[in-house]
Amino acid sequence: MPAIPDGVKESGARRAGRAVPPRPDAAGFAVFYEANFDAVLGFVTRRTACPQTAADLTADIFLAALQAARQYDPARGTPAAWLYGIARNVLASHYRGNALEQHAVARLNGHRLLDEEDITALEARIDAERAARELAERHSGLSQPLREILDLVAVDGLTPREAAQTLGLNRATVRSRLHRARRLLRAQHPAPTEHTTTHRPHTRCTDNSPGRRLTSEEIYEP
């Protein structure tokens, strides 16, 4: 599989393909890879500004997904939620992993080879995700349990249901943590004065719409 598939921008066909479960055979996993590459690259480039690290992490995530493909259980969540869970684990392992082991692997394997076109494409994607990285930085003062929920919903665009599946939590816990995170962020980043605030009605995320994606107003405003 190429380091950077043609057409990094996610198409409608790819979005539909994200519902396809992972398969351990080469042909089946290739379909899963193509359908989900943009989502995984977005997840990574919203968390690193280094093209080489982005390429390495994206490849590592799909390698881990391939190795775990037989363990996918549709009863526990969607393919996208399953893949985001793997992506979180790979990213966490990368940043907290054993330094000696990482150095040994780097000496043996070196960085994945990227040509100039790959690097250019990655740099463009990293630049496009700059606002998302700044948004994630806004969450940095929150505790990890609150930050990981808010990042998945506000930064990565998962629904509360998908975030719950990704983290292995029940939806009530996700709703509670989202509420606490919003309350703390409002305290840390007060809203503009009423002279510059546009008043409009707000729609809450309710129990009967757990699969709906939240708007930025619903996530951040009272």
Side-chain angles (χ1 to χ4, degrees):
M1 296 177 186
I4 309 296
D6 293 334
V8 167
K9 189 69 174 176
E10 186 175 28
S11 66
R14 280 187 178 174
R15 285 193 296 272
R18 288 177 63 186
V20 176
R23 287 168 43 190
D25 61 284
F29 194 81
V31 173
F32 182 78
Y33 172 87
E34 289 291 339
N36 290 278
F37 177 85
D38 186 78
V40 171
L41 183 62
F43 177 90
V44 169
T45 54
R46 287 189 285 273
R47 290 161 174 84
T48 180
C50 173
Q52 185 64 64
T53 300
D56 288 348
L57 286 172
T58 300
D60 288 345
I61 289 166
F62 278 109
L63 177 60
L66 175 60
Q67 293 170 341
R70 295 184 187 277
Q71 302 169 21
Y72 170 69
D73 180 1
R76 299 181 62 182
T78 65
W82 175 82
L83 185 56
Y84 269 96
I86 289 175
R88 287 185 67 256
N89 290 337
V90 169
L91 199 72
S93 177
H94 170 80
Y95 285 114
R96 72 164 187 265
N98 185 294
L100 292 177
E101 180 180 351
Q102 289 182 1
H103 291 163
V105 171
R107 285 196 301 269
L108 289 171
N109 298 331
H111 282 307
R112 288 177 173 85
L113 296 179
L114 298 176
D115 61 26
E116 186 174 342
E117 185 176 346
D118 287 339
I119 293 174
T120 299
L122 282 167
E123 287 177 339
R125 183 57 181 269
I126 287 169
D127 187 62
E129 298 289 0
R130 186 191 309 271
R133 292 194 301 278
E134 292 173 352
L135 184 60
E137 181 63 25
R138 183 184 179 189
H139 305 162
S140 62
L142 299 173
S143 65
Q144 182 177 345
L146 300 185
R147 187 173 65 248
E148 63 187 5
I149 291 287
L150 201 57
D151 281 352
L152 288 173
V153 174
V155 178
D156 296 310
L158 271 64
T159 67
R161 172 181 288 168
E162 289 172 333
Q165 293 170 345
T166 296
L167 297 170
L169 301 173
N170 61 57
R171 293 198 296 271
T173 299
V174 167
R175 288 195 298 272
S176 174
R177 290 183 183 178
L178 274 175
H179 175 74
R180 289 166 56 200
R182 292 172 65 228
R183 178 164 50 81
L184 289 170
L185 280 177
R186 287 199 301 271
Q188 295 172 5
H189 306 277
T193 65
E194 60 181 30
H195 297 292
T196 59
T197 301
T198 301
H199 295 280
R200 56 187 176 274
H202 303 288
T203 304
R204 301 291 184 184
C205 179
T206 59
D207 291 355
N208 60 4
S209 60
R212 183 171 59 83
R213 300 188 188 281
L214 303 184
T215 66
S216 60
E217 289 85 358
E218 291 173 300
I219 294 169
Y220 291 113
E221 297 188 13

